[in-house]
Amino acid sequence: MSAVEHTASAPASQAADAPAPRLTSFSHGGGCGCKIAPGVLSQLLQGAARLPVPPQLLVGLDTADDAAVYRIDDQHALVATTDFFMPIVDDPDDFGRIAAANALSDIYAMGASPILALAIVAMPIDRLPLEVIRRILQGGESVCASAGVPIAGGHTIDSVEPIYGLVAIGLAHPAHIRRNDEARPGDRLVLGKPLGVGIASAALRKDRLSPQGYAAMIASATQLNVSGPALARLPGVHAMTDITGFGLLGHVLEMCRGARVRARISSASVPRLEGTDERLAEGFVTGASARNWAAYGHEVLLPNAAPESLRALLTDPQTSGGLLVACDPASVDEVLAILHRDGFAAACEIGEVLAGEPGVEVR
């Protein structure tokens, strides 16, 4: 496929003066909150056929990692991923930007640099003005341009709900690939971005998110996790992933299960988007948060009498969330220096890795 294909043509006419419907009104869930619940996904993958795995496939289905990795030669590994979802915001440009940043994040989280992308576009073209769709695509293109990545093709279909995302391809040295399953007891956990994107989106859906809160949410969700390759080159960085739809606890648990370790999280240290605690107090929580807890809550030890708001924060689905880094204690300062240099002002140490059965303790 050399160019963007399509399976339906545009409607012959659209009312020029008709107001465009809210993008979020088309979707039953937005952003990474659209993800199939972790428990359901696990059941689906249990029945997947296990085909022969070539030795060049360095990362595949076995650890629920962020992307697949295929070794080309001793100096080059190809990193491939795909990510797409329904609108989390109503502004078309912002939707496109968030979706593109989120897709590229999986490449960075493996320690790779993106080299090209393909667009995934599904739109209700009989109900959504073409100019709105065009702005979604332009938003994605702008983020890819800032990452130095061309959108080299893609595929479009006519759909009931708007869906946009990317297939992203990257390159890395095989020795610099950072999986999510190689954390070690004694490692420290560093988080690159604050939590609260899902909580902010819940407030937005009810028209209760302030302009300042919206700006903070967009700034976080469109910030590219460009620190990934530099972090992966540090010998003291053992494992890396990004926080998305399964929430902080879900992605820490993936790291723990793969490495057969436990994690301890300091809830007071976890950074939050400004206004997140107030939104939680007002009851703004996504449905995906409850689904996340139902799937993995039995593996989490919360403090006695922990408020519901703490559980909601730690299970909040992040769209284009921050990098989670497991590194030896001597490397924490260098990891934070790289993140702060790249503009991740909220980056901080949030916990540690322990020996023991997989699980997470929250204090």
Side-chain angles (χ1 to χ4, degrees):
M1 179 176 61
S2 60
V4 176
E5 298 177 354
H6 63 87
T7 59
S9 56
S13 63
Q14 292 172 325
D17 56 349
R22 293 181 61 169
L23 281 175
T24 53
S25 70
F26 288 94
S27 55
H28 68 277
C32 286
C34 299
K35 276 189 172 183
I36 293 176
V40 177
L41 180 60
S42 178
Q43 294 178 49
L44 290 173
L45 294 178
Q46 283 177 3
R50 294 297 185 222
L51 300 176
V53 176
Q56 295 90 343
L57 186 64
L58 304 182
V59 181
L61 288 172
D62 51 330
T63 61
D65 221 321
D66 297 301
V69 181
Y70 190 92
R71 183 175 58 83
I72 299 172
D73 55 37
D74 291 343
Q75 301 295 316
H76 303 91
L78 188 72
V79 181
T81 186
T82 182
D83 214 315
F84 51 88
F85 45 64
M86 293 166 282
I88 189 174
V89 295
D90 291 310
D91 183 274
D93 299 275
D94 288 343
F95 172 39
R97 292 167 62 213
I98 292 170
N102 180 72
L104 294 176
S105 182
D106 286 341
I107 299 295
Y108 293 125
M110 300 300 298
S113 298
I115 58 171
L116 66 87
L118 305 174
I120 299 170
V121 184
M123 296 289 159
I125 59 172
D126 59 336
R127 293 184 294 151
L128 203 57
L130 296 184
E131 178 57 27
V132 171
I133 299 173
R134 187 176 296 112
R135 287 178 58 195
I136 293 170
L137 303 184
Q138 290 171 344
E141 290 166 358
S142 70
V143 164
C144 287
S146 69
V149 177
I151 295 182
H155 189 72
T156 67
I157 64 168
D158 188 0
S159 172
V160 174
E161 294 176 298
I163 295 171
Y164 178 69
L166 301 175
V167 174
I169 306 296
L171 284 176
H173 191 289
H176 296 156
I177 294 295
R178 288 296 178 266
R179 299 166 59 109
N180 67 355
D181 66 344
E182 296 183 345
R184 306 173 187 177
D187 278 352
R188 301 297 190 260
L189 295 174
V190 174
L191 181 62
K193 290 185 185 182
L195 303 184
V197 169
I199 293 161
S201 72
L204 178 66
R205 278 180 169 266
K206 296 185 180 296
D207 294 319
R208 296 286 298 277
L209 187 63
S210 69
Q212 296 83 0
Y214 181 82
M217 179 183 76
I218 297 302
S220 179
T222 58
Q223 188 175 15
L224 288 167
N225 282 320
V226 294
S227 304
L231 293 172
R233 287 192 289 271
L234 298 180
V237 170
H238 301 141
M240 194 157 55
T241 188
D242 61 344
I243 308 302
T244 55
F246 298 155
L248 175 64
L249 288 178
H251 292 284
V252 172
L253 277 167
E254 285 184 340
M255 189 175 280
C256 290
R257 294 185 197 116
R260 303 301 298 173
V261 295
R262 294 183 67 78
R264 179 182 292 144
I265 301 295
S266 168
S267 59
S269 300
V270 174
R272 300 145 163 84
L273 285 175
E274 184 177 354
T276 293
D277 290 335
E278 292 79 5
R279 292 177 201 117
L280 283 170
E282 295 180 57
F284 294 119
V285 180
T286 70
S289 178
R291 293 194 298 273
N292 284 341
W293 182 256
Y296 55 65
H298 61 285
E299 299 177 81
V300 178
L301 180 62
L302 290 176
N304 290 332
E308 288 292 318
S309 59
L310 177 60
R311 190 177 80 180
L313 174 72
L314 299 180
T315 58
D316 186 47
Q318 302 307 289
T319 301
S320 190
L323 295 175
L324 177 69
V325 181
C327 64
D328 65 46
S331 298
V332 169
D333 288 345
E334 196 169 5
V335 167
L336 288 173
I338 289 172
L339 288 165
H340 293 159
R341 177 202 69 191
D342 291 339
F344 298 95
C348 62
E349 183 179 340
I350 64 165
E352 60 184 326
V353 178
L354 311 170
E357 287 298 310
V360 179
E361 304 170 12
V362 180
R363 293 188 174 181

